[in-house]
Amino acid sequence: MVPACGPRTATIAIVGEAPGEEEVRSGHPFVGPAGKVLNTALAQAGILREECYLTNVMKVRPPGNNFGAFYRDKHRRDPLPELQEGIAAVQQEMTEVKPHVIVLCGAEPLKAFTGLADIAGRRGYLIGSQWGKLLPTFHPATVLHATDDDPMGRSY
């Protein structure tokens, strides 16, 4: 299990999908390769990582590092009870932290807070919510998988 980290008075919260291998090993979110990309992006924006609250929808690494394992169906429309609990827990975290902006890194955090799945179509647009302003964006790992042929890192 990888708990959240950062000040509970943070004005910026960053929500990912689930921890990766390095996050599990260290016990901290966003410390692997995607975390390094995130750190660079935060630094370029003049934001101190230490002032952000970092968490994930799921606090455990999915089997095979496949978030789809938390669903009953391959289309990811029917979440298993443990995912439903993870969504409720991360929403409760945001209720308690009360950040001004919640950066949703990837489709799963977007879905957890809005029920919407189109991260590409919503990226960069602020969405009002009961938890604060939601700012959907691609997960930092997307940069790691990007190629000249596909800058979004999709595999076909």
Side-chain angles (χ1 to χ4, degrees):
M1 182 167 158
V2 177
C5 71
R8 297 194 58 91
T9 57
T11 58
I12 299 172
I14 300 170
V15 182
E17 296 181 350
E21 184 177 352
E22 289 190 41
E23 287 78 7
V24 170
R25 192 172 19 255
S26 73
H28 298 286
F30 291 103
V31 295
K36 289 177 179 49
V37 171
L38 176 64
N39 292 345
T40 299
L42 290 172
Q44 289 174 345
I47 298 169
L48 297 174
R49 176 188 167 108
E50 298 78 28
E51 293 179 357
C52 298
Y53 184 85
L54 294 105
T55 191
N56 285 296
V57 173
M58 293 299 291
K59 305 299 189 271
V60 296
R61 187 171 187 217
N65 207 32
N66 176 8
F67 202 90
F70 295 126
Y71 288 90
R72 288 188 181 95
D73 65 316
K74 68 178 182 175
H75 299 292
R76 296 186 181 193
R77 292 187 187 123
D78 189 9
L80 291 168
E82 67 182 303
L83 176 53
Q84 293 172 4
E85 291 169 15
I87 291 168
V90 76
Q91 289 174 349
Q92 182 60 36
E93 281 180 81
M94 294 305 106
T95 298
E96 294 169 7
V97 174
K98 297 180 179 67
H100 297 158
V101 175
I102 303 168
V103 180
L104 304 175
C105 294
E108 293 299 337
L110 175 64
K111 195 183 303 182
F113 283 91
T114 67
L116 305 170
D118 180 20
I119 190 70
R122 305 242 183 314
R123 178 182 67 91
Y125 292 95
L126 284 175
I127 301 169
S129 79
Q130 69 189 64
W131 303 282
K133 292 178 182 143
L134 306 175
L135 180 60
T137 190
F138 295 123
H139 193 282
T142 304
V143 173
L144 299 172
H145 304 294
T147 65
D148 289 339
D149 293 333
D150 186 357
M152 289 179 45
R154 295 172 294 213
S155 58
Y156 296 97

